[in-house]
Amino acid sequence: MGGPRPPGRRPGRTSPLGPAARQPDGGQGRRGAPGRDPLARRLAEHVGTGRLLPAEGTLLVALSGGLDSVVLLHLLRFALPQTNQRVSAAHFDHRMRPGSAADAAWVRGLCAAWGVPLREGAAEAPLRSEADARTARYAFLRRAADELGAAAVLTAHHADDQAETVLFRLARGAGLRGAAGIPPRRGRLRRPLLSEPRAALEAYALRHGLTWREDPTNAEAGFARNRMRHAVLPELERMQPGAALALARFAGRARAAEGTLEARAWAALRRALEARSEGVIELARPVLLEYDAELRARVLRLALRALGVRVGAAGTRAALAFISTGAAGGRVSVGRGAEVERAFERILVRAARPPQPTDRPLRVPGTGDGTGEAMLGGRRFAVAWGTGHPGGTGHAVEFDLSAVAFPLELRAWRPGDRVALGFGTKKVKKLFVERRLPRAERTATPLVVDATGRVLWVVGVARSTHAAAGEGPAFFLTVRHVEHD
């Protein structure tokens, strides 16, 4: 039941729980000794600052039964001074290998002997990958923490884990954020042993006679992380003693630098922000161009993250190149359905567009009074018409009734549309460009066109000189954008 013996374990020792488990009081008899341990003193100093662990409340330890988590639980349960903190444990069975149920039973016995409340969970079906296992495990830990009202969830990641993570990420081409490695804290999740090498945890376990469960998959050479752990890092340590701790310290420096750059990027985003609406953030291009490319990229990624979108390096490069060009308009896809659009000196960062309703133009049949609705570019317009004078709110014009060729149509702009102005005709598209209307605004700007195809009115932009109201009977149109249903 105790699994493979840890190094230094004496033959004949039958309890899987170590000396503390054999005490009738669950280990209280040896509580003073662990408190004088050098690892315990370092942890107490670390915790004493108050930055990593809360001063009171329940601490929920993620307990796999392996060396790391057993040491963490023992430290919190027996080695730290009396505090207002309560210690509980949580174990999740991924059901990925034979023997996982025995691990759960072993953990159950450990917690009973040490007087630690335990929450247990298990996958409904065997999980197939490490990624699935991690997702399921952390979801369980969140639920357990919520149920307990835990102030923090603690995992036993250590400096060797940090070194492995940094090496993997750097080998895959990670940037500064990736080089920062595993964070000591994220929300309620805390990692109080992250600065300690695994050798320090092993030494603590041996000094206090602890035993633990070994996961046999940790020794399988088929896993890249195992090769990193058993081959690459030991070789690095032989070449450069202290390499793992050096990598862990490097991650800390990278994390500090990342935090500084992130703060600068947020400040730049606030300065460049022009407007925000659902699914769109509008930025001032001249402000963005004041910053170097790295900070500009971070601002774009922050804007996308604020819209719920995370894009990769290729999408970021495409966006940077696009906003730096001389073109006054257009858009570029940056991945995950998101896009960056330029409308003159404005940059519109847009999440995936929801499906737009189909346009519904409106036909005005003749001279009688009437009302109706049109849907153009995802916007709804209320329209009224008749003889006399317009009333109410919205854009309104009057036409010379004798010069209007019915029926009229309220529709969206089409390529080739032209409107008659005092100096001749002009393409409607050119009017839009001169008025600096973004592409999205153009598709939602109604045109009033007569039966011959002549544009009589570009609503809110320009009025044609054709059929202008004179001395005779007038016919009016009023168009109002309806904000809400």
Side-chain angles (χ1 to χ4, degrees):
M1 188 174 181
R5 291 175 182 167
R9 178 176 170 183
R10 292 193 301 272
R13 180 174 291 172
T14 57
S15 169
L17 306 180
R22 294 196 300 275
Q23 293 286 343
D25 59 358
Q28 297 291 336
R30 291 194 57 178
R31 186 164 188 167
R36 293 192 293 272
D37 189 278
L39 177 61
R41 287 199 301 270
R42 290 196 298 272
L43 180 62
E45 292 170 4
H46 196 33
V47 172
T49 63
R51 290 193 297 268
L52 187 61
L53 296 183
E56 57 185 25
T58 297
L59 305 179
L60 182 64
V61 177
L63 182 63
S64 68
L67 165 73
D68 311 336
S69 61
V70 167
V71 167
L72 176 59
L73 184 65
H74 191 269
L75 282 163
L76 294 169
R77 176 69 178 84
F78 300 117
L80 292 186
Q82 290 283 357
T83 66
N84 293 324
Q85 298 158 332
R86 296 175 297 279
V87 179
S88 291
H91 177 80
F92 186 75
D93 182 358
H94 306 95
R95 300 178 60 193
M96 294 178 71
R97 58 178 176 79
S100 65
D103 289 346
W106 190 91
V107 164
R108 201 176 303 127
L110 175 73
C111 289
W114 286 1
V116 175
L118 175 67
R119 293 288 176 115
E120 293 188 70
E124 293 182 2
L127 298 172
R128 297 186 175 183
S129 70
E130 288 297 324
D132 289 344
R134 186 181 188 281
T135 299
R137 180 171 65 254
Y138 278 99
F140 161 71
L141 290 172
R142 284 193 297 271
R143 290 194 302 271
D146 290 341
E147 292 167 3
L148 285 171
V153 177
L154 277 57
T155 69
H157 291 91
H158 47 71
D160 293 49
D161 295 323
Q162 184 73 289
E164 291 170 16
T165 300
V166 171
L167 278 179
F168 260 117
R169 292 182 180 178
L170 290 177
R172 292 171 177 169
L176 192 60
R177 184 189 298 274
I182 306 169
R185 59 182 294 170
R186 178 178 290 156
R188 281 186 299 182
L189 189 63
R190 313 295 168 87
R191 299 178 174 101
L193 300 178
L194 199 56
S195 61
E196 298 289 342
R198 191 174 195 271
L201 276 61
E202 289 176 340
Y204 178 92
L206 292 176
R207 283 195 297 270
H208 300 286
L210 303 182
T211 58
W212 57 89
R213 299 284 284 187
E214 292 286 358
D215 183 347
T217 61
N218 287 339
E220 293 180 6
F223 294 104
R225 187 170 285 276
N226 287 349
R227 295 196 298 274
M228 178 74 76
R229 179 174 301 155
H230 300 303
V232 177
L233 273 178
E235 183 62 26
L236 272 178
E237 286 290 340
R238 282 191 289 272
M239 295 169 57
Q240 180 63 53
L245 281 175
L247 285 166
R249 288 193 295 269
F250 167 73
R253 291 193 294 271
R255 190 161 47 252
E258 173 68 18
T260 299
L261 286 173
E262 194 82 346
R264 287 188 61 201
W266 276 112
L269 176 59
R270 288 190 291 270
R271 183 166 170 255
L273 183 65
E274 292 279 351
R276 176 170 182 174
S277 58
E278 186 176 357
V280 181
I281 289 178
E282 188 177 314
L283 305 173
R285 180 172 177 267
V287 175
L288 281 179
L289 294 180
E290 292 178 14
Y291 299 102
D292 59 65
E294 171 61 27
L295 200 59
R296 206 180 305 157
R298 286 174 175 269
V299 171
L300 289 171
R301 287 196 295 268
L302 285 178
L304 286 161
R305 273 166 44 193
L307 297 173
V309 179
R310 292 183 180 271
V311 299
T316 303
R317 286 195 298 270
L320 282 177
F322 172 72
I323 67 172
S324 302
T325 63
R331 62 169 68 102
V332 63
S333 172
V334 294
R336 299 185 182 274
E339 61 185 22
V340 174
E341 179 180 346
R342 180 174 171 190
F344 303 99
E345 293 307 300
R346 290 183 293 171
I347 300 297
L348 281 68
V349 182
R350 196 186 308 275
R353 293 173 182 261
Q356 292 293 324
T358 303
D359 280 2
R360 296 199 309 269
L362 175 67
R363 190 170 181 269
V364 179
T367 59
D369 294 352
T371 59
E373 285 188 354
M375 180 73 75
L376 304 172
R379 295 183 182 176
R380 190 159 62 93
F381 297 91
V383 186
W385 62 86
T387 55
H389 296 281
T393 59
H395 297 284
V397 294
E398 292 183 322
F399 300 101
D400 180 347
L401 186 58
S402 64
V404 174
F406 287 98
L408 304 182
E409 184 181 25
L410 194 85
R411 63 165 172 82
W413 162 77
R414 297 171 185 167
D417 281 337
R418 302 183 72 93
V419 61
L421 303 173
F423 48 82
T425 65
K426 179 177 284 191
K427 286 185 175 181
V428 173
K429 180 180 179 180
K430 190 169 183 180
L431 272 179
F432 288 154
V433 171
E434 291 173 351
R435 294 295 183 93
R436 306 177 81 82
L437 258 66
R439 191 182 301 269
E441 295 288 332
R442 301 175 195 179
T443 61
T445 298
L447 272 63
V448 176
V449 182
D450 72 4
T452 69
R454 286 181 297 196
V455 176
L456 303 182
W457 183 25
V458 183
V459 178
V461 177
R463 167 75 166 83
S464 170
T465 55
H466 181 74
E471 298 296 328
F475 179 81
F476 74 85
L477 268 172
T478 300
V479 179
R480 178 171 58 89
H481 174 213
V482 180
E483 296 285 348
H484 303 288
D485 291 335

